[in-house]
Amino acid sequence: MTLERTFVAIKPDGVQRGLIAEILGRFETKGFKLVGLKQLTPSKELAEKHYGVHKDRPFFSGLVDFITSGPVIAMVWEGDGVIASARKLIGATKPLEAEPGTIRGDLAVNIGRNVIHGSDGSDTADFEINLWFQENELVDWTPSDQEWRVE
Ligand code: IDP
Ligand code: MG
């Protein structure tokens, strides 16, 4: 069992469309543990760091403008295999190619408005968690059903 943490964010379109509860519920009902949660409108500096890997792509400035345009729900989820599982729950980057049953497959149509972000690996998860959260904003707790979990 590899206990992991990943960074997930509901983008401004997800917030504006009233999808917060729907999206949070996908992770909660799957069985992952919420260890960080806050709402903020990201600064340009934060957005540019977060999407730094895409800085030479033609969509970069539009992406930064969009992600800074309104409130985002930033989250850290913890669990066994949560990094890859969150990407599966989220679905493909292009919502029209995302499988039904995934968040993007069920809730989005446009690549530039694909409602959610999730870290794509353990290095990016560490980087993004540290970028978006202070250590004291993350809560260590033990769900009372933890004893049911088996290898
Ligand atoms: P991901 O969010 O599935 O990890 P990335 O390739 O890392 O996808 O791209 C980051 C975000 O940039 C995407 O979620 C999407 O919002 C946006 N994006 C990616 N490719 C394009 C594009 O070709 N046009 C417009 N926006 C794009
Ligand atoms: Mg990505």
Side-chain angles (χ1 to χ4, degrees):
M1 181 157 124
T2 45
L3 203 58
E4 297 177 344
R5 287 182 172 182
T6 196
F7 174 74
V8 173
I10 305 174
K11 297 180 184 181
D13 52 332
V15 176
Q16 299 291 344
R17 291 176 55 205
L19 298 174
I20 297 170
E22 165 77 33
I23 293 173
L24 272 170
R26 301 284 179 115
F27 295 90
E28 196 178 32
T29 55
K30 174 72 176 168
F32 291 124
K33 181 168 89 175
L34 185 63
V35 296
L37 176 70
K38 63 182 175 181
Q39 183 177 47
L40 73 162
T41 298
S43 66
K44 194 165 186 229
E45 187 191 0
L46 174 59
E48 286 179 344
K49 282 186 187 158
H50 175 76
Y51 281 125
V53 67
H54 297 306
K55 67 178 185 311
D56 297 326
R57 307 285 288 278
F59 58 81
F60 180 71
S61 67
L63 179 59
V64 168
D65 284 350
F66 175 60
I67 215 79
T68 57
S69 68
V72 162
I73 303 296
M75 298 169 265
V76 177
W77 289 90
E78 183 181 287
D80 189 17
V82 70
I83 299 172
S85 181
R87 293 284 292 190
K88 273 195 185 169
L89 292 172
I90 288 169
T93 304
K94 291 181 182 172
L96 293 179
E97 293 177 5
E99 294 295 328
T102 66
I103 293 166
R104 286 170 173 163
D106 289 349
L107 304 175
V109 289
N110 183 333
I111 191 170
R113 299 289 184 272
N114 59 8
V115 301
I116 183 164
H117 167 85
S119 305
D120 65 6
S122 61
D123 290 347
T124 42
D126 288 346
F127 171 76
E128 291 169 359
I129 290 167
N130 287 322
L131 179 65
W132 288 78
F133 283 90
Q134 306 290 323
E135 187 58 42
N136 66 7
E137 293 176 306
L138 301 177
V139 181
D140 247 328
W141 61 289
T142 304
S144 50
D145 69 350
Q146 194 126 311
E147 68 204 46
W148 300 338
R149 293 182 189 176
V150 290
E151 291 293 319

